[in-house]
């Protein structure tokens, strides 16, 4: 069964909605963005998440020290890295690594040492999809997440086309820039029909 990651959570209401609806992963964004949380906020929100749901820290071009601090402080179960990253450092991370790749017009570079790949739009968090045909010819050997512009209206098509390990949503479950508990529930229900 395809798993669901609800990303960019920053309030108790949103975390509780994702937990109650059956999310498999909950993402905390530590990179500068409108969804950014502090380590202290993430630690407090993490206390609401049962151990059956994986807590994912989302970073952009982090240092190894930054990752280690968040892993220990929150604590996290996985890390997701966007932007620049020295693949040689991946073996130093004590948790599973999701390597995010933004798909535009350039060639796809599949990160060799990541445990999972995540395919996203050219601008992460924009609510835009990438050209799904870009992945059609790819032979993907690692489990992967699909992100970028997913909503309750297109998630079934993405699930059918890709058969991904997980579907990752953030802006697609928001109303006026805030996580919407009803949209979270509807999204997860659509994936797990």
């Amino acid at each position: 069964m395809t798993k669901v990651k609800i990303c960019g959570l920053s309030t108790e209401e949103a975390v509780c909605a994702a937990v109650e609806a059956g999310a498999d992963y909950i993402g905390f964004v530590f990179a500068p963005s409108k969804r950014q949380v502090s380590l202290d906020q993430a630690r407090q929100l993490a206390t609401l998440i049962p151990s059956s749901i994986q807590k994912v820290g989302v970073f952009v071009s982090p240092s190894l020290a930054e990752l280690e601090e968040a892993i220990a402080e929150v604590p996290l179960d996985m890390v997701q890295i966007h932007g620049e990253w020295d693949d040689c450092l991946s073996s130093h991370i004590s948790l599973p690594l999701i390597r995010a790749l933004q798909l535009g017009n350039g060639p796809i570079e599949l990160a060799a040492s990541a445990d999972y790949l995540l395919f996203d739009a050219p601008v992460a968090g924009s609510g835009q999809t990438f050209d799904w045909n870009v992945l059609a010819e790819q032979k993907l050997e690692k489990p992967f997440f699909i992100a970028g512009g997913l909503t309750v209206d297109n998630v079934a098509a993405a699930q059918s086309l890709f058969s991904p390990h997980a579907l990752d949503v953030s802006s697609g479950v928001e109303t006026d820039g805030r996580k919407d508990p009803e949209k979270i529930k509807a999204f997860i229900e659509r994936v797990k029909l």
Side-chain angles (χ1 to χ4, degrees), residues 6-86:
I6 306 292
C7 200
L9 299 183
S10 60
T11 66
E12 286 190 20
E13 178 188 36
V15 169
C16 290
V19 168
E20 289 169 16
D24 301 287
Y25 302 95
I26 289 179
F28 296 122
V29 177
F30 296 108
S33 84
K34 63 183 180 182
R35 299 178 184 96
Q36 183 178 15
V37 294
S38 67
L39 290 179
D40 190 50
Q41 286 174 295
R43 182 175 45 255
Q44 291 175 21
L45 293 171
T47 64
L48 305 171
I49 303 171
S51 61
S52 59
I53 299 174
Q54 302 285 288
K55 297 175 293 298
V56 182
V58 180
F59 302 86
V60 174
S61 305
S63 68
L64 198 52
E66 184 183 350
L67 292 175
E68 289 171 350
E69 181 182 14
I71 289 167
E73 291 273 329
V74 175
L76 297 172
D77 300 304
M78 302 175 85
V79 294
Q80 176 177 318
I81 299 176
H82 293 253
E84 298 296 317
W85 175 250
D86 182 349

Side-chain angles (χ1 to χ4, degrees), residues 16-193:
C16 290
V19 168
E20 289 169 16
D24 301 287
Y25 302 95
I26 289 179
F28 296 122
V29 177
F30 296 108
S33 84
K34 63 183 180 182
R35 299 178 184 96
Q36 183 178 15
V37 294
S38 67
L39 290 179
D40 190 50
Q41 286 174 295
R43 182 175 45 255
Q44 291 175 21
L45 293 171
T47 64
L48 305 171
I49 303 171
S51 61
S52 59
I53 299 174
Q54 302 285 288
K55 297 175 293 298
V56 182
V58 180
F59 302 86
V60 174
S61 305
S63 68
L64 198 52
E66 184 183 350
L67 292 175
E68 289 171 350
E69 181 182 14
I71 289 167
E73 291 273 329
V74 175
L76 297 172
D77 300 304
M78 302 175 85
V79 294
Q80 176 177 318
I81 299 176
H82 293 253
E84 298 296 317
W85 175 250
D86 182 349
D87 201 47
C88 296
L89 295 175
S90 298
S91 63
H92 298 286
I93 301 172
S94 59
L95 299 178
L97 168 62
I98 303 167
R99 183 66 171 113
L101 303 171
Q102 272 129 314
L103 301 184
N105 296 326
I108 300 173
E109 294 182 29
L110 303 178
S113 61
D115 300 285
Y116 301 88
L117 299 175
L118 181 144
F119 298 106
D120 202 350
V123 179
S126 66
Q128 301 297 310
T129 58
F130 61 87
D131 178 0
W132 291 354
N133 294 319
V134 170
L135 283 183
E137 303 296 317
Q138 297 294 318
K139 299 272 190 262
L140 301 171
E141 297 177 9
K142 291 182 185 288
F144 62 95
F145 291 62
I146 295 293
L150 295 178
T151 67
V152 72
D153 296 323
N154 67 7
V155 71
Q159 185 175 13
S160 175
L161 179 63
F162 296 113
S163 298
H165 169 75
L167 294 157
D168 186 330
V169 65
S170 186
S171 61
V173 292
E174 292 178 349
T175 300
D176 299 326
R178 296 180 52 84
K179 292 295 183 277
D180 184 323
E182 292 304 315
K183 286 185 178 180
I184 290 171
K185 181 180 178 189
F187 186 94
I188 293 173
E189 284 177 351
R190 181 69 55 93
V191 173
K192 300 196 174 194
L193 283 176

